[in-house]
Amino acid sequence: MSTMQQRFAAGLMKPESALPEGLTSWNCRQPKVRYDVYRNNVMVSLRRALASRFPAAEMIVGEDFFAAMADIFICEHPPRSPLLFLYGDDFPDFAAAFPPAQSVPYLADVMRLEIGRGRAYHAADVAPLDPARLAAVAPDDLAAVRFTLHPSATVLRSAFPVVTIWAMNAGEAPVAPISDWTPEDALVIRPHLTVEVLRLPPAGAVFLDALAAGGPLADAAEAGAAAHPDFDLTATLACALSGGAFSTIQTQPGDQP
Amino acid sequence: MRPSQLPAQAGVGFKPEHFASIDQERQPVGFFEVHAENYMGAGGPPHAQLSRLREDYVLSVHGVGLSIGSIQPLNQDHLQRLKQVCDRYQPESFSEHLAWSTHDTTFLNDLLPLPYTEETLAQVCRHIDEVQTALGRQMLLENPATYLLFEESTYEETDFLDEVVKRSGCGLLLDVNNVFVASTNHNTDPASYLARFPVLHVREIHLGGHSETEDDLGATLLIDSHDTPVRDPVWALYADVVRRIGPVATLIEWDNDVPDWPVLRAEAQAAQAILQRSALAA
């Protein structure tokens, strides 16, 4: 029995492999077409799962390219969990190293942004921080404030205009030549029921990553200023706050969030 | 053990793209069925929608990833996730498949067939015991759509299911489309299959669409594709079953090339009409 299931499973992702022994049908002892129905179901359904998680990537490279890349990925990195909305976390890294995709060097970052969108969609429901709570902090205490990022937040750094490229391929912006080809940092967030993709101001990702690591506001601001001459603490904090990037703040060590 | 208790009415498999239409007014459906795995994230729109449906409708949770027919132990993490979904939404019914989908650590995302032997029978019953104990409720087991057979099988599928019910106390989910698909694929008579099926234990019926292709020798091969309306011969078999056993909860499944909500609702109403005729005749 164990061997039957092993044999059956082993051939599903190997289209050229021999038909497993022990199968039959009413009219044929070598039911290859029938076994291929299962092979096809497995591959098509997993391809579909990836396409639904990475729709902008599929738009960028086209359906045929995406399917061919997905097939190789599926065979090398089959899902390990029945939760397919988690499947493909390592697909961006695979795409980054996939030789035929080298002509679209920004593809992997768009895929990382899409992973952030999927995570945000399924993340825990938590009310975003009310900006009034920060406004109520005494000026002298501001530098020491620590922030907890919202559970839906993904901060993404990119060497490419990833937000602009994603938006054009997700139907969020008209497709047009990108005149300002500059690196963009993204914040993916779902403060309520809708997933948002925000373009962060310069060094915004450095700043948010420093806060996410648990550092106080003063240290995060310093890290942002060191990372980019145009870093603007007020604008960056306002963008993050209005976007719902935080769930809570701690004003003094030991405060309950 | 909490029994499965869906109303003897027509229900619909819930698709998120229909949520806005469904939420506009009270829909004439007896229940909604959802795939358990879609509600195993922490939060977000899936839970918001299901919580909303739960307020107004009877709910059936249908698992597609537990791999009950697997030779290996059940995935305990997944069983716990199922328990969380059932604890949170308190569905009137939970069902899964006589199939397997996980091997070693790989999830194959299809309902794969198993040989029917003493060994698989014992294993399936062990797994169902485990599920029913963990969930504290009776589960329903669904007959599969199959495309091939195993040389080592020693049971007819209907006898296998009968034995599973006797040993485990589970109920059955009779998928009439699967019966038609599998019977055609194995060149047998679906009416004879249904005559042998342990219908007294059927707590729910599934109806769905299938597509048609050919096997190695050019014989008809039907695919359980859930991408079309219910076909006429399946409606006819369904009406026969309902005439025989009386009204029973009936689900319309349409998972691919999903139509607009009114089309799906009309399919459910067609099933409802058959249920009502049988109730009047009784």
Side-chain angles (χ1 to χ4, degrees), chain A residues 54 57 60 69 91-97 101 104-115 156 158 160 162:
Chain A
F54 301 99
I60 288 169
M69 183 168 74
F91 199 19
D93 287 348
F94 175 90
V104 271
Y106 46 83
L107 180 66
D109 279 356
V110 172
M111 294 170 79
R112 291 181 183 111
L113 190 154
E114 297 198 287
I115 284 193
L156 178 70
S158 178
F160 305 98
V162 64

Side-chain angles (χ1 to χ4, degrees), chain A residues 3-23 29-36 38-39, chain B residues 148 216:
Chain A
T3 52
M4 185 66 250
Q5 241 170 54
Q6 271 165 4
R7 288 196 301 273
F8 199 100
L12 287 172
M13 291 184 182
K14 293 187 191 123
E16 304 310 320
S17 64
L19 190 67
E21 280 177 36
L23 307 180
R29 300 290 300 276
Q30 292 288 316
K32 181 173 182 318
V33 168
R34 292 164 178 266
Y35 181 70
D36 283 347
Y38 294 104
R39 274 180 170 148
Chain B
L148 45 70
D216 305 78

Side-chain angles (χ1 to χ4, degrees), chain B residues 228-245:
Chain B
T228 67
V230 178
R231 308 278 185 178
D232 286 345
V234 174
W235 280 122
L237 287 171
Y238 170 65
D240 285 347
V241 170
V242 171
R243 207 172 297 131
R244 204 166 123 214
I245 66 174

